[in-house]
Amino acid sequence: MGLLEALNNTALSIYMRESLWGYPIALTLHAIGMGLLVGVVSIMCLRVLGMFRQIPFSGLQKWFPVILVGFLVNLCSGTLLYLSDPVNLIKNAAFDVKIILVFIGLILLLVMKATPAFKNITNMEPTAIGGSSAKTVAIISLIVWISAITAGRLTGYISAV
Amino acid sequence: MPNVVMPHIIYAIADTWLSHAVKDSYWIWPTMETMHFIGLSLLFGGLALADLRLMGYMKNIPYNTLSKIIPLAVSGFIVNAITGVLFFIADPTRYYPNLAFRFKMLCILLAGLNLLFYQIKIKPMAEKWGPGDPTPWVAKCVGCASILLWIGVITGGRMIPFVE
């Protein structure tokens, strides 16, 4: 725990605890980034599963930069929020589960990008849907992101107890 | 904020059976919060895609196909309106005087008016846009205003506990 305690005493960590605006601003950015990341990934999964078939499949390519923006906002804001209480958050089971789920969700997104439907994305029929591998990844992704949000919400309740 | 004079109805709401039921339950509040966040993601993520296209991003996707997402975003809003009203009913004396809450409601109202303008002015225009077509400046403004107003809604909501 020596490392986490050292982290806890860094200027940034103290700033996130004691400043008036540091924590609320990071928290707000985290909700905005979540909306972009989880919202766009979920809608992409639904498109892969067959909803919104009017949207050309190749168009999904353009959604990845939007997802990346959401991810980067949340990586930065999430790191800052974590720094506000690094020792106790690690001990918070809901927080640990959330981090693992986010990690799995991001890996699943890369796995989805590697499925035949996405490897072939520019040549897909406009109304195409994902093959069985992309669809499977899409269903698991939706469950993982919903679970990640749930665990994230519960983090506050467990630390408050 | 004990110095704020609240209309009688605020206290009446706090006294209802529903208010007590939500407030006294151990699980209803966190469950609704989780639903509120999932609704937020569908609403903000869905609208962001349509708004970015209005602003001229992803021109190769025909706008009329991307706009099919809007009903899903609206369903996210409905989830959030229901859970949001229940939050208010459970704790009206907390929310009513809260400035962040009022800012959030104002932004929702303005976002609604922006959507109304979109339905009347932009949507009929958008029927004719094909893939690759640039969007007129008025559509860019509506898309930009939508994203900024929903960022305002999220910001107001997150700030509620910090301005009490």
Side-chain angles (χ1 to χ4, degrees), chain B residues 101-149:
Chain B
F101 173 76
R102 291 180 174 200
F103 175 75
K104 177 177 178 171
M105 292 304 116
L106 176 68
C107 286
I108 291 175
L109 181 72
L110 294 175
L113 291 174
N114 190 56
L115 183 66
L116 195 66
F117 181 79
Y118 163 86
Q119 290 284 348
I120 295 166
K121 282 280 174 190
I122 310 293
K123 210 179 165 193
M125 234 194 268
E127 309 283 325
K128 291 166 232 146
W129 298 343
D133 283 354
T135 51
W137 68 271
V138 62
K140 289 189 170 77
C141 289
V142 166
C144 186
S146 169
I147 289 185
L148 291 177
L149 286 169

Side-chain angles (χ1 to χ4, degrees), chain B residues 4 18 43-44 47 49 52 71 112 115 130 136 138 142:
Chain B
V4 175
L18 187 59
L43 173 62
F44 189 69
L47 287 185
L49 288 170
L52 285 170
L115 183 66
V138 62
V142 166

Side-chain angles (χ1 to χ4, degrees), chain A residues 20-21 23-25 27-28 31-36 38-40 42-43 46 51-52 54-56 58-66 145-146 149-151 153-154 157 161, chain B residues 26-27 29-30 33-34 37-38 40-42 44-49 52 57-62 64-72 150-151 154-156 158-159 162-163:
Chain A
L20 188 58
W21 291 110
Y23 193 84
I25 289 173
L27 201 61
T28 299
I32 294 165
M34 176 197 77
L36 273 186
V38 179
V40 177
S42 303
I43 296 166
L46 294 174
M51 269 178 88
F52 316 118
Q54 298 96 328
I55 299 170
S58 61
L60 295 181
Q61 236 176 349
K62 289 275 185 184
W63 295 12
F64 285 105
V66 183
W145 286 113
I146 289 171
I149 289 179
T150 308
R153 275 291 69 208
L154 294 182
Y157 285 88
V161 168
Chain B
Y26 192 71
W27 286 109
W29 196 280
E33 275 189 327
T34 303
F37 273 53
I38 293 165
L40 176 161
S41 300
L42 287 180
F44 189 69
L47 287 185
L49 288 170
L52 285 170
Y57 180 69
M58 328 186 255
K59 278 203 189 73
N60 61 339
I61 308 177
N64 290 321
T65 68
L66 213 44
S67 65
K68 300 286 185 253
I69 295 170
I70 293 175
L72 180 72
W150 288 110
I151 287 176
I154 296 173
T155 306
R158 286 268 70 177
M159 289 294 170
F162 299 99
V163 300

